[in-house]
Amino acid sequence: MKHIMLLLCLTATVLTVQDIHARKLELADYLNYEMTADPQLAPDGERIVYSRQRINKFSDSIDSEVWQMDADGRRNRFLLKGGHARWSPDGTRIAYISSADGKAQLFVRWMDAEGTVTQITHDQVAPNHFVWSPDGGSIAFRAQVPMTPGFSIELPARPPGAQWTADPPVIDRLHYRMDRVGLKTGFDHLFVVPAEGGTPRQLTEGDWDVGRRFSGLNFDGPIHWTPDGASLVFSAETDPAAEVASTNSSIRSVDVGSGDMTTLFAEPGAWAQPVPSPNGKLIAYLGSLPSVLTWPGTELRVMNSDGSDSRTILSDITSPLFPLRWADNSQGLYLVLGREGVSQIYLASLDGKLTRVTEGYHRLGFSSISGNTAVGIISQPHVTPNVARISLRNGSVRQLTDVNADIFGDVEFGNVEEIWYDSTDNARVQGWIVTPPDFDPEKSYPLILQIHGGPNAMYDVGFNFPFQEFAAQGYVVVYTNPRGSTGYGLEFVLAIDNAYPGRVDFDDLMAGVDAVIEKGYIDDQRLYVTGCSGGGALSAWVVGHTTRFAAAAPLCPVINWISMAGTSDVAAWANKQFRPMFWEDPSFWLEHSPLMHVDKVTTPTMLITGDKDLRTPLAQAEEFYAALKNNGVETILIPMVNEYHGTYSIPSNMLRTQLYLRKWFEQHGGGARPEEGLTETGSQNGAQEDDNSGGEHD
C-alpha cells in the first residue's frame, strides 16, 4: 500500500511540475503549425482522405499532402503529395491535383495494395476543379482557355537578334485583373477526360467563365453531373455585355456528348451552386434577386431538373451556405449556417423547415457525406482546425485528428471569454476577449481591438493563432461583430448599407472597448486598434473619430472610396458601395472615406499593405500615409513584399506582420510591464474624450 501511495504521490508531483512548466505560445511555433482541410469520406464510409498542409521553412511556402485514415481516426498516415482528393463512385480510386513540371495537373491513384498512379492531364490544360462521372468512367474539370485579344496591331519586322519591349496587354474589360492572379489572360471552361487518361475534350467556349461570379470575376463554384451522367450543371453569365452587372449569373447545363448548352434558370439575379438531387428530379441552387443593397439576403431554391417550377425554400439568409448536399432520399438539403459566432449543420426540408443537426460551441463545416455520416473540419477557441466525423442521425461530432498536439501539448493558451454588450440604437453586439495565459484581474493590461474585414463577415469561436500570440505577449485582445456582420439577421447586416464605415459600426466597436474597460483590468492609456481590409478601413476610420488609442495599424485598408472604385479588381462591386454614383453626387463617397477625416488624426498610425494587392491596392495606404505625413502625424508605411490582399499568405510575412504590430504598439506603450502588478488599473469610463464618439455620420 505504501508503494501504491508513493506512486500516486509521484504521479501527482509530475503532473504538478508539468503544469508549472506549461509555456506560452511563441511566434516561432507558427513555423511548425499544420492545417487540415477538405476531408472526403469513401462511398462505403470506411475510409477518409484529407488535405494536410504544413509550412515549408525553406521555400517560404505551404506544402500540401493527402493523408488517409480509417473512419474512426485510426491508421492515420501520409498517402501522397498533392491536394483536393476525391473518391471515385465505387471507392476504388481517388483523383487529386498535384504539380507536374511546375504546373497543376490531374492524377488518379488506385486505392489497392499496388497503389498505381496515372497522370490524367498534361501540359495542355491546368485543372482547377474536377468531379467524377457517376459511372467512374470520366472526370469533368474546369480549366482556363487563353483569351484572344480583341484589339491588336502588327509591328514592322524586327531586325534579326533585336531585343524589343514586350507587347503591352490590351485591356477592354471592366474586370481585367484579379487578386492573387494578376492580369486576366483567359476564361474558365469545362472539359471532360477519360478517367484512365487520354485527351481532354472541351465542352464550353466563349468570352465568359464557368463558375460563381462576384463583381465580374470568377470565384469558383462547383460543377455537378446529373445522376444519369448525361450532363453537367453549373452557373455562369455567358453575355460579356453583362459584365457591369457584377454578380449576375444563371443556372445552365451542358450535354457531355454533344456539347449543347441549355439555360435552366436565367431570371435576373445572382444564381449559383446548382446541385442535382440523387433521384434526378430536382436541382437546388442559391442566389439573390437584383438589389441596390450591398448585401441582399440569400435564397435557397429548388426547381425541376428541366428548369421549371422554381420555388424558394429559405430566404433572407445572411451567412454563407456552402456547400449544399442533398439527403439520400432527395427530400432535403444539408448546409452550414453561421449564427452568433458558431456554425452548425442544418437540414432544410423541401417545405422550408430548417432543422439544426449539430450542437456545440465550435466552428464546424462539412465537405463530404456518405449515408448518415459526414466529415468536415472543426475548430474551437483552443482547438486548431482538425478533421471531424459527424453523425447526421443524432448530431454527434467526434474530432479525429489533432495535428498540432506535438507543438501545442505544453502550451497554455489565453482564455477566450464571450461577451454581449449594448450599443446605440438598442443594438446588442457580440464579442470575445482573449486574456494572457497568466492573467490576473488585479493587474492592468494593454488592449488590442481587432476588427474583421468584409465588412459583411463574422468573427467566430474558431482558433486564432495571431490573437493567441498577442495574448501571450501580455495583451488583452478584443474582437467583436459590429453591425454589418453576418450571422445576426438581415437588419443587422444592412445597418451599414450606404453608410460604411460610419456611425453604427464605430459606435459598436467603441461600446465593446468600453465594456471590457469596465471589467477593471485594462490600462485605458494603452489601447491599440488594427484590422485588415474592411478592418483596415474601420481602423483608419476610428483614428479619424477618436483620440483614445495610443497607436493604430490599419492593414490593407480602403482609404478613399472614389479612387478605390477605379483601381480595385472588384471594380463593379466597389462602384456600388454608395448611392448615387460619385459622379452624380460624391457626398456619401467622401463622407465615408477615412481620407476625408485625416485632419482629425493625431494617433500614431502604421500602414501595411501587400505590394501586389489588387483588392485594396497599395495606393490606398499611400494616400493616407502622405496625408498623415503632411499633417505631421507619426506614421510609417510598409509594403509587404510579394503579398497580394492580406499580409499572411506567405509564412514569413505572417511573422513579419505580428512583429511589426508588436514593435509599433510597444513603441507607444504596449506590451507587458514588469511592474504591472503594482500599478493601478485604468479608469472605468474609457480614456480620453472622443473627438466624435457619438459619430456625426449616417
Side-chain angles (χ1 to χ4, degrees), residues 348-359:
S349 65
L350 296 182
D351 61 4
K353 181 182 179 182
L354 189 63
T355 303
R356 184 164 59 187
V357 175
T358 59
E359 302 279 351

PDB file of all heavy atoms in Angstrom, residues 348-359:
ATOM      1  N   ALA A 348     -32.439  21.398 -44.385  1.00  0.00           N
ATOM      2  CA  ALA A 348     -33.575  22.166 -44.896  1.00  0.00           C
ATOM      3  C   ALA A 348     -34.469  21.228 -45.699  1.00  0.00           C
ATOM      4  O   ALA A 348     -34.025  20.632 -46.692  1.00  0.00           O
ATOM      5  CB  ALA A 348     -33.095  23.315 -45.778  1.00  0.00           C
ATOM      6  N   SER A 349     -35.704  21.085 -45.266  1.00  0.00           N
ATOM      7  CA  SER A 349     -36.649  20.230 -45.995  1.00  0.00           C
ATOM      8  C   SER A 349     -37.220  20.995 -47.187  1.00  0.00           C
ATOM      9  O   SER A 349     -37.118  22.226 -47.266  1.00  0.00           O
ATOM     10  CB  SER A 349     -37.778  19.776 -45.073  1.00  0.00           C
ATOM     11  OG  SER A 349     -38.556  20.890 -44.663  1.00  0.00           O
ATOM     12  N   LEU A 350     -37.845  20.283 -48.095  1.00  0.00           N
ATOM     13  CA  LEU A 350     -38.386  20.914 -49.296  1.00  0.00           C
ATOM     14  C   LEU A 350     -39.562  21.824 -48.992  1.00  0.00           C
ATOM     15  O   LEU A 350     -39.915  22.672 -49.821  1.00  0.00           O
ATOM     16  CB  LEU A 350     -38.791  19.838 -50.312  1.00  0.00           C
ATOM     17  CG  LEU A 350     -37.641  18.991 -50.860  1.00  0.00           C
ATOM     18  CD1 LEU A 350     -38.158  17.995 -51.894  1.00  0.00           C
ATOM     19  CD2 LEU A 350     -36.552  19.865 -51.469  1.00  0.00           C
ATOM     20  N   ASP A 351     -40.158  21.680 -47.827  1.00  0.00           N
ATOM     21  CA  ASP A 351     -41.256  22.578 -47.457  1.00  0.00           C
ATOM     22  C   ASP A 351     -40.773  23.766 -46.633  1.00  0.00           C
ATOM     23  O   ASP A 351     -41.579  24.515 -46.075  1.00  0.00           O
ATOM     24  CB  ASP A 351     -42.356  21.825 -46.702  1.00  0.00           C
ATOM     25  CG  ASP A 351     -41.849  21.199 -45.404  1.00  0.00           C
ATOM     26  OD1 ASP A 351     -40.672  21.400 -45.045  1.00  0.00           O
ATOM     27  OD2 ASP A 351     -42.642  20.496 -44.745  1.00  0.00           O
ATOM     28  N   GLY A 352     -39.446  23.961 -46.534  1.00  0.00           N
ATOM     29  CA  GLY A 352     -38.895  25.139 -45.882  1.00  0.00           C
ATOM     30  C   GLY A 352     -38.605  24.995 -44.411  1.00  0.00           C
ATOM     31  O   GLY A 352     -38.189  25.962 -43.761  1.00  0.00           O
ATOM     32  N   LYS A 353     -38.775  23.819 -43.846  1.00  0.00           N
ATOM     33  CA  LYS A 353     -38.468  23.615 -42.433  1.00  0.00           C
ATOM     34  C   LYS A 353     -36.957  23.465 -42.267  1.00  0.00           C
ATOM     35  O   LYS A 353     -36.318  22.695 -42.973  1.00  0.00           O
ATOM     36  CB  LYS A 353     -39.182  22.377 -41.904  1.00  0.00           C
ATOM     37  CG  LYS A 353     -38.912  22.112 -40.424  1.00  0.00           C
ATOM     38  CD  LYS A 353     -39.615  20.839 -39.958  1.00  0.00           C
ATOM     39  CE  LYS A 353     -39.316  20.566 -38.494  1.00  0.00           C
ATOM     40  NZ  LYS A 353     -39.954  19.308 -38.023  1.00  0.00           N
ATOM     41  N   LEU A 354     -36.401  24.211 -41.313  1.00  0.00           N
ATOM     42  CA  LEU A 354     -34.967  24.180 -41.067  1.00  0.00           C
ATOM     43  C   LEU A 354     -34.706  23.519 -39.724  1.00  0.00           C
ATOM     44  O   LEU A 354     -35.160  24.000 -38.683  1.00  0.00           O
ATOM     45  CB  LEU A 354     -34.401  25.598 -41.078  1.00  0.00           C
ATOM     46  CG  LEU A 354     -32.878  25.744 -41.054  1.00  0.00           C
ATOM     47  CD1 LEU A 354     -32.260  25.144 -42.309  1.00  0.00           C
ATOM     48  CD2 LEU A 354     -32.484  27.217 -40.925  1.00  0.00           C
ATOM     49  N   THR A 355     -33.979  22.400 -39.737  1.00  0.00           N
ATOM     50  CA  THR A 355     -33.700  21.636 -38.523  1.00  0.00           C
ATOM     51  C   THR A 355     -32.208  21.636 -38.252  1.00  0.00           C
ATOM     52  O   THR A 355     -31.407  21.281 -39.130  1.00  0.00           O
ATOM     53  CB  THR A 355     -34.183  20.182 -38.665  1.00  0.00           C
ATOM     54  OG1 THR A 355     -35.584  20.180 -38.963  1.00  0.00           O
ATOM     55  CG2 THR A 355     -33.925  19.397 -37.391  1.00  0.00           C
ATOM     56  N   ARG A 356     -31.835  22.040 -37.046  1.00  0.00           N
ATOM     57  CA  ARG A 356     -30.422  22.015 -36.692  1.00  0.00           C
ATOM     58  C   ARG A 356     -30.008  20.589 -36.374  1.00  0.00           C
ATOM     59  O   ARG A 356     -30.627  19.906 -35.554  1.00  0.00           O
ATOM     60  CB  ARG A 356     -30.149  22.935 -35.501  1.00  0.00           C
ATOM     61  CG  ARG A 356     -28.669  23.023 -35.150  1.00  0.00           C
ATOM     62  CD  ARG A 356     -28.351  24.201 -34.251  1.00  0.00           C
ATOM     63  NE  ARG A 356     -29.085  24.153 -32.999  1.00  0.00           N
ATOM     64  CZ  ARG A 356     -29.072  25.137 -32.103  1.00  0.00           C
ATOM     65  NH1 ARG A 356     -28.409  26.243 -32.360  1.00  0.00           N
ATOM     66  NH2 ARG A 356     -29.748  25.006 -30.975  1.00  0.00           N
ATOM     67  N   VAL A 357     -28.911  20.144 -37.007  1.00  0.00           N
ATOM     68  CA  VAL A 357     -28.435  18.772 -36.830  1.00  0.00           C
ATOM     69  C   VAL A 357     -27.429  18.676 -35.694  1.00  0.00           C
ATOM     70  O   VAL A 357     -27.458  17.731 -34.901  1.00  0.00           O
ATOM     71  CB  VAL A 357     -27.819  18.249 -38.146  1.00  0.00           C
ATOM     72  CG1 VAL A 357     -27.217  16.862 -37.952  1.00  0.00           C
ATOM     73  CG2 VAL A 357     -28.856  18.243 -39.262  1.00  0.00           C
ATOM     74  N   THR A 358     -26.514  19.644 -35.603  1.00  0.00           N
ATOM     75  CA  THR A 358     -25.441  19.583 -34.611  1.00  0.00           C
ATOM     76  C   THR A 358     -25.609  20.665 -33.550  1.00  0.00           C
ATOM     77  O   THR A 358     -26.292  21.666 -33.759  1.00  0.00           O
ATOM     78  CB  THR A 358     -24.064  19.740 -35.281  1.00  0.00           C
ATOM     79  OG1 THR A 358     -24.018  21.003 -35.975  1.00  0.00           O
ATOM     80  CG2 THR A 358     -23.812  18.614 -36.258  1.00  0.00           C
ATOM     81  N   GLU A 359     -24.967  20.448 -32.427  1.00  0.00           N
ATOM     82  CA  GLU A 359     -24.906  21.414 -31.335  1.00  0.00           C
ATOM     83  C   GLU A 359     -23.437  21.569 -30.954  1.00  0.00           C
ATOM     84  O   GLU A 359     -22.598  20.742 -31.279  1.00  0.00           O
ATOM     85  CB  GLU A 359     -25.702  20.920 -30.116  1.00  0.00           C
ATOM     86  CG  GLU A 359     -27.161  20.630 -30.380  1.00  0.00           C
ATOM     87  CD  GLU A 359     -28.023  21.876 -30.362  1.00  0.00           C
ATOM     88  OE1 GLU A 359     -27.502  22.945 -29.970  1.00  0.00           O
ATOM     89  OE2 GLU A 359     -29.203  21.777 -30.742  1.00  0.00           O
TER      90      GLU A 359
END
